[in-house]
Amino acid sequence: DAGVTQSPTHLIKTRGQHVTLRCSPISGHKSVSWYQQVLGQGPQFIFQYYEKEERGRGNFPDRFSARQFPNYSSELNVNALLLGDSALYLCASSPRQGGETQYFGPGTRLLVL
Amino acid sequence: EDQVTQSPEALRLQEGESSSLNCSYTVSGLRGLFWYRQDPGKGPEFLFTLYSAGEEKEKERLKATLTKKESFLHITAPKPEDSATYLCAVNYGGSQGNLIFGKGTKLSVKP
């Protein structure tokens, strides 16, 4: 069975640009969450979507936005990129919202120059 | 204030030398505690979910246990391929169904 997939795998952008990251959940999973992981730290929660609605938002600026599509795939958008946005962006899926196990994709490595 | 604290930050073992990793948490209303393994530059790989104090789960050389305040990941007779960063995360009533991670323990196993 296919796991969580993310694209692209790597991305280089310059300050002020916009970026869109994509995620496809495990088949049958309706919840998608996004996390940011900087080097040496654990992942930090950004957003959770369940049944195409935002169900949770972490402590990130409004430059970060996301959406979930009818097929449960998701996009994370970041506007006006800053150097500090350089990180590994992780997508995780679970069957439903709540205290269930979340399964992570391989991540997108974003470098902002 | 850190809600999830992992120790030690780094651990070096010889092949076959058993040890334990600790994850302590201060949240209330725990819904689940999760252990993941992460290799450099890759996404976290799910290992275990624990839901209640006293619960234990095993997989090959790994065993996870849970108390009301902490969890341990016991590694028995580790091999070099067990080298990775081990992440602990919790989901609780105030976290909106999302995971709060510790900073991880970086494990190195030398042959």
Side-chain angles (χ1 to χ4, degrees), chain A residues 29-64:
Chain A
H29 285 194
K30 298 182 177 181
S31 179
V32 170
S33 296
W34 287 94
Y35 294 81
Q36 180 196 66
Q37 186 177 26
V38 299
L39 202 61
Q41 301 292 316
Q44 295 288 315
F45 168 67
I46 309 175
F47 285 110
Q48 185 188 56
Y49 277 77
Y50 176 65
E51 288 283 17
K52 294 157 281 183
E53 292 187 5
E54 181 183 307
R55 300 302 180 104
R57 174 186 285 255
N59 188 24
F60 280 80
D62 291 343
R63 299 185 295 108
F64 289 76

Side-chain angles (χ1 to χ4, degrees), chain A residues 33 35 37 40-43 45 47-48 55-57 88 90 97-106 109, chain B residues 31-32 34 36 38 41-46 48-49 51 87 91 95-104:
Chain A
S33 296
Y35 294 81
Q37 186 177 26
Q41 301 292 316
F45 168 67
F47 285 110
Q48 185 188 56
R55 300 302 180 104
R57 174 186 285 255
L88 181 67
L90 297 163
Q97 191 184 10
E100 295 186 315
T101 300
Q102 296 185 20
Y103 297 88
F104 285 83
R109 172 70 64 184
Chain B
R31 291 184 181 176
F34 307 85
Y36 291 88
Q38 187 174 31
K42 298 188 176 181
E45 174 189 347
F46 169 69
F48 302 108
T49 302
Y51 289 110
L87 294 167
N91 176 275
S95 69
Q96 303 174 311
N98 300 298
L99 299 178
I100 310 300
F101 280 87
K103 294 181 179 180

